[in-house]
Amino acid sequence: MRLITVAIHTYDHACRLRRRLEREGIEVVLQNVNLESPVVSSGVRVRIHEHNLPLALRIIENPDVFPEDESPGNSDVREILVPIDFSAHSFNAARVAVSLAAIHGSDLRLLHTYIGPVVAGKMQLTDSLTYELTDADARRKIEEDASAHMQRFIKALKDLMRSGELAAVKINTEIREGVPEDAIIQYVRSNPPLLVVMGTRSFEKKEREMVGSVCAQVLDGCRFSVLVIPEGAELRQSDGYMKMLFFANLDQEDILAMDSFYRVFPDMSARASVVNIPGKRRLLERAKVDNPESLVAYFRNSYPASEFKAEDIAATDAMVDFDRLQLQNSYDLIVVPNKKKNLLSRVFNPSLAHRLLFHADIPMLVIPV
């Protein structure tokens, strides 16, 4: 099988990269090493088999996800994390997460966060938890009620497992104090998950919480893949295929994102529409690189069990064109490679994933690139 070069480094740096890649199961060959004085060699080629390229690029481009020095605890099978607020849409997300955990042989982690009385004063924590936080027992009361709600939530999931409606997986729980979006992001940094699955409200209800959506803040700040499940939605397949709308950047990050999709859904056959929204600088004069056909050809060659086609979408009317494509194709899933933005950019120029979150009632896989 053909070897390709993914990096050229000094000897020490090449050895560190080799250890990172081999830890993820990628065979690595180092070439051009000065055997007499390897430590001073400045042109060491890091080479891998061609079929490992997508995973290798993801490892190299995402040091937060694949750190060079991992603690022993991070070598275990990673969990699927489900932040919950005990609502119907978070229970729906947990059901989807159970099915994915069974596919991957991983555990499920339910994470509930609450805002303590020092921050809250008087506030409504969820649809069912409202407190007047004025006495010293407020925090204990919140913790006790959160624990009771968690036990009822787990019982409901296990009842579905006993009935055979859901696969049986191990469920772990975590209850933390803090602002929900900050607590979720801090948790995934300390405990890298295989995937984060979050439930959201329906389109009409999301419009009312556009500024303060916890899910939107997590999408902007989390460097792990997030699967968003809208209220009442489920992951569907039509005739054995998942109809997918893939938003491409037309660069190597698309390869990383598609590889991430198949790592989440390893046995999935997809019928994918690949679209690109051109940047503002290329609205008037679109270069050949703006044509996704070459990317589609690569995907067809790399994933022969799936079908791919290119679709056009306009930058000026992206959401209108999205509605048109959805009406024509009835997609089951949206996949969005999501580039990190600074705070000002997120406020004045929200990401595509952010905009789609408040526009669509379709499951969406958001992949950091």
Side-chain angles (χ1 to χ4, degrees):
M1 188 171 293
R2 189 163 73 97
L3 290 174
I4 59 175
T5 300
V6 292
I8 300 176
H9 290 303
T10 62
Y11 178 73
D12 287 343
H13 196 158
C15 286
R16 288 197 298 271
L17 179 55
R18 178 176 63 181
R19 287 195 294 271
R20 288 172 60 197
L21 295 174
E22 289 180 342
R23 192 164 49 235
E24 300 298 327
I26 297 177
E27 184 179 349
V28 177
V29 175
L30 300 184
Q31 290 186 347
N32 290 0
V33 176
N34 182 339
L35 296 180
E36 293 182 359
S37 301
V39 293
V40 299
S41 177
S42 59
V44 180
R45 297 176 181 271
V46 181
R47 310 197 75 195
I48 63 170
H49 292 296
E50 186 176 20
H51 70 275
N52 286 324
L53 177 61
L55 176 56
L57 289 175
R58 178 162 175 78
I59 294 169
I60 294 169
E61 298 293 335
N62 292 272
D64 293 338
V65 181
F66 301 95
E68 292 189 18
D69 298 312
E70 293 184 316
S71 63
N74 286 343
S75 62
D76 297 333
V77 175
R78 292 188 290 180
E79 300 172 316
I80 291 180
L81 177 68
V82 187
I84 61 172
D85 61 2
F86 310 125
S87 62
H89 54 271
S90 64
F91 187 78
N92 185 43
R95 287 168 53 108
V96 173
V98 167
S99 300
L100 291 173
I103 291 172
H104 290 276
S106 62
D107 296 347
L108 191 72
R109 173 72 64 174
L110 302 177
L111 172 65
H112 174 70
T113 60
Y114 65 88
I115 299 177
V118 175
V119 178
K122 178 182 179 181
M123 70 176 302
Q124 182 172 343
L125 296 182
T126 71
D127 292 339
S128 55
L129 296 175
T130 306
Y131 295 97
E132 181 76 40
L133 302 175
T134 56
D135 55 54
D137 294 329
R139 179 175 281 102
R140 179 180 56 80
K141 172 64 174 173
I142 296 174
E143 291 176 348
E144 289 177 353
D145 281 10
S147 212
H149 275 73
M150 181 69 81
Q151 293 306 312
R152 287 193 288 270
F153 196 95
I154 293 172
K155 182 181 182 302
L157 284 175
K158 289 187 173 179
D159 286 345
L160 295 177
M161 293 178 189
R162 293 187 188 98
S163 70
E165 186 172 337
L166 288 179
V169 302
K170 182 180 178 182
I171 301 176
N172 304 308
T173 64
E174 183 88 11
I175 297 176
R176 292 191 171 194
E177 179 180 350
V179 178
E181 54 267 32
D182 293 339
I184 294 167
I185 293 171
Q186 290 172 5
Y187 183 88
V188 300
R189 286 174 180 168
S190 303
N191 306 273
L194 175 68
L195 177 70
V196 180
V197 181
M198 296 190 70
T200 64
R201 297 179 183 275
S202 64
F203 169 72
E204 292 81 5
K205 295 177 181 176
K206 278 188 289 188
E207 281 190 318
R208 297 199 295 269
E209 59 179 31
M210 184 171 291
V211 175
S213 169
V214 172
C215 188
Q217 298 302 317
V218 172
L219 292 184
D220 289 337
C222 181
R223 300 311 295 161
F224 291 86
S225 296
V226 180
L227 177 62
V228 179
I229 307 293
E231 184 177 13
E234 59 184 24
L235 286 175
R236 301 181 290 111
Q237 294 184 51
S238 305
D239 301 325
Y241 286 85
M242 177 178 283
K243 293 183 179 179
M244 175 177 66
L245 180 61
F246 181 89
F247 284 92
N249 296 311
L250 298 182
D251 54 31
Q252 72 174 20
E253 291 161 347
D254 298 326
I255 299 175
L256 308 182
M258 188 61 75
D259 180 67
S260 295
F261 166 77
Y262 281 101
R263 288 168 71 83
V264 174
F265 302 102
D267 300 318
M268 183 64 65
S269 295
R271 284 182 176 148
S273 298
V274 178
V275 301
N276 168 249
I277 300 178
K280 293 180 180 178
R281 295 179 181 178
R282 292 179 289 182
L283 283 177
L284 299 178
E285 185 177 347
R286 299 185 62 176
K288 291 182 180 179
V289 72
D290 286 333
N291 190 334
E293 288 293 349
S294 59
L295 182 65
V296 167
Y298 176 87
F299 287 157
R300 286 172 180 161
N301 183 61
S302 301
Y303 309 102
S306 296
E307 300 174 5
F308 299 89
K309 65 178 179 179
E311 296 276 10
D312 289 326
I313 199 166
T316 52
D317 298 305
M319 293 301 106
V320 174
D321 278 4
F322 165 78
D323 291 337
R324 171 182 59 80
L325 290 175
Q326 172 59 14
L327 187 62
Q328 294 172 353
N329 298 280
S330 298
Y331 294 114
D332 305 315
L333 180 70
I334 306 169
V335 178
V336 186
N338 194 35
K339 295 186 177 181
K340 189 173 184 179
K341 290 189 172 188
N342 60 37
L343 180 60
L344 284 177
S345 295
R346 294 202 299 264
V347 171
F348 295 104
N349 184 26
S351 66
L352 177 62
H354 197 126
R355 285 183 286 158
L356 285 168
L357 175 69
F358 294 104
H359 185 83
D361 268 342
I362 308 166
M364 178 170 62
L365 179 62
V366 180
I367 301 168
V369 295

